[in-house]
Amino acid sequence: MKTNTRSPQAAGRPPGILLVLFLLAAVGLAYEIALTRVFSVILQYHFVFLVVSLAVAGLSGGAALATLLTRGRGWEGSRTKLTTAVQLTALLLVVAAGVLALLPSADLVGAALAAALLPFVGIGFLLSVLFAAFAQSGGVLYAADLLGGAFGLVAAFAAISLFGAFDLILALAVIAAGVGCLLAWSGGDRSLVTRALILTGALAVGFLANRFGGWLVFSPAALENAPPDKTMIHMLQSGNAALLETRWDPFARLDVVTADDDSLRYVFTDAGAGSIMVRYDGDDAAVDWMRRDVEYLPFAVLPEGARSALIIGAGAGRDVLMAKLAGLADITAVEINPTLVDLTRDSAEYNGGIFDLPNVQTIVTDGRNFVERSAQTYDLIYANVVYSQAAAPGHSALAESYIFTREALRAYWGHLTEDGTIAFATHHGIEGLRLVVAALDMLQAEGMSVQEALRHVALGSRRSGDAQTRTSAVFIRRQPFDSENSQAVVTAAHDIDVGMLYLPGFQEVGMTGLATGAMTLQDYIDANAAQFNYTPTTDDSPFFYQFTPGLPPGVSDLLLVSVFVALAYLSWAIFFYVRRDGYQWRRALLTPYFALLGAAYMLVEIPLIQRFNLLLGQPTLALPLVIGALLVGSGLGSLLSSRFSLKSLPRRVALFALLVAAGVALSLIVHPALIRWALPLSLEIRLLVTAAAVLPLGVLMGVPFPGGLRIAHEADPRGIAAFWGANAATAILGSALAMTLAVSIGFTAALLLGASFYVGAAGLARFGWTREGML
């Protein structure tokens, strides 16, 4: 006779349940990634952040629905509902893809929100029922959930490049329907299996039909009332432009657009950020017209003998061509988006192979990352940040930029030749002035007085046109401006209708207080604080485009919505159990524990992504690797928690929550030093360093939640779905708090708040549960 070697926990699970949970988690996270790409194209940046966070709210809504619909039924009583729910979720994914692709107007944000949220409600319902039905296997289930999320994240990044965001959502619908087949098969109901197979086959045929027939295609020109910074959409709607090519990648959607004048092609990132590709056949005389652009001014005033230039954010090659036109013999072009570089190279017949000219070295990485890792010096370090013809203050307030931080400027300064210049082309004078203030701050850190620093900076702006679109040029010279330098700048600026807003010895109005010593740099910043934010940005708070005082609309909206969602859900959950238990508060104490964990996890995760973005040089590497390492580590921690005895769990989960808090506090010291050490190393080593730095913290973070679920199952088996929902609801609040603190104080503050939440959860587990007799 054979002995059954399966654990009691495993014996209670039908076959395939772990795979079901794995696939549902993968679909959910892949869908979230796809949504970020879709909303980046059709809405403004702050809506992207808001919509994705609101989509996570669907998980808590699904958990609440599960609590109401499946009370006391157990697994067998919920199996049919689960199969129906997963099929409905698959159909909702198709609806979401259709609504978002065919959205007639960007003003219909409500319809877009509803379409994005509903699939998450279905996924939340399914996951919460599974966790409630098999809570005694909480550690194993949570590991499957986290590992599935990690897999979905990596798979989504690969699939977007192949399918695009809209087709990816349709593919996820097919996978979700396939999960329905697994659920139906686990119950042995042939009619249920047949129905699930028919739906899966129909969705697969629809996906293939769309891939090869294009029946569900997003047309940018058809989207009415597009945001003002979606320049490509307005350009196509004018009737004077045509879309030539579209490519998707994890970084963005890229579109090549041509206008009436075929001497230029515009390469748009997410329909807004524009890079220019210039027709070039090797004849410099044919592109001599670029000398009259404001962006060319830094090249026009280079000292005699200048040979080298570093172009940060090379885009589609226009700035590289300007450097060549200026006669520079050694040009290094750095571009963060590999698809944009590939697209430019594939258009070599049009642009003359600008990235592969003999004197051009093209490198795919983040410009700041490249500078930090390089030992070379340059006569010109140049960044053209003019990405939209309709840019205005506030439109990109949430866009992190490590190009302009105090630490970045110091890095550039250290890579200049003795007569070198750092130059920026900006959208308008407000950006330019903030960069001037940042430069003065950096030069003070280098040991100069503010009066000395003023001799090293200059700012010019186009005289004509809308004040918000007057392209400006900022100069930061290694050597101070003298009369000869200033006169050369004035002459070159006058020839192209540029007025100098500040130039030592020529135009110093507005900086008189600083120049005379009557005010400090901080006094100058404070004097303008009511209207504009000129505070220098740092790596800890890199939000350069946040010009106005207070929080940007996206953060304030998200904070209000997340507070409302969290309070509403937690109030409902606590009152639900207090009323059910005859107005006894004992089991209600479980809800705050899971709520604290949900917020704390996001408060730690978001800053970690930002921190290692600098080390890896690309968001498309930092996002999946950091989240993936956290999820895999948390999955391992979850498996570890399943080995603890039930009696020891309150003490164990409290200990691990405290270890997370200690680990987060320690990371504030260890991670920056580790990043500085690893920056010069190869990409492969930097990837390993990132994973090694994040994985241990993920292991610690993976213990408190599944351990708490096991305790909750003993104390109140019927409440698991609601506790799981509380964790999801406050995860949105954690995201909002992380961004609020990052913009107003810095990511360090978010990490510290996350650590304090883990301490609070430890206190509840160690003292609150034991005192109330949970076990």
Side-chain angles (χ1 to χ4, degrees), residues 542-559:
F543 301 94
F544 176 80
Y545 295 104
Q546 170 59 5
F547 298 121
T548 55
L551 294 174
V555 173
S556 57
D557 293 346
L558 174 62
L559 186 61

Side-chain angles (χ1 to χ4, degrees), residues 633-718:
S634 296
L636 296 174
S638 181
L639 290 174
L640 176 64
S641 75
S642 66
R643 302 177 65 87
F644 300 150
S645 68
L646 189 63
K647 185 177 180 180
S648 69
L649 268 179
R651 178 171 51 85
R652 296 289 186 118
V653 297
L655 173 62
F656 272 84
L658 288 175
L659 287 175
V660 173
V664 170
L666 186 63
S667 75
L668 296 174
I669 301 171
V670 174
H671 285 174
L674 187 65
I675 290 171
R676 285 194 298 272
W677 170 79
L679 266 173
L681 305 178
S682 67
L683 177 60
E684 292 78 11
I685 299 298
R686 284 181 283 133
L687 290 170
L688 291 174
V689 167
T690 300
V694 175
L695 190 68
L697 197 56
V699 172
L700 297 176
M701 293 166 72
V703 172
F705 181 77
L709 280 182
R710 285 177 61 195
I711 293 172
H713 180 261
E714 291 298 318
D716 184 7
R718 294 179 295 168

Side-chain angles (χ1 to χ4, degrees), residues 491-504:
T491 301
H494 178 77
D495 290 343
I496 59 174
D497 192 35
V498 169
M500 298 308 300
L501 303 180
Y502 178 79
L503 182 63

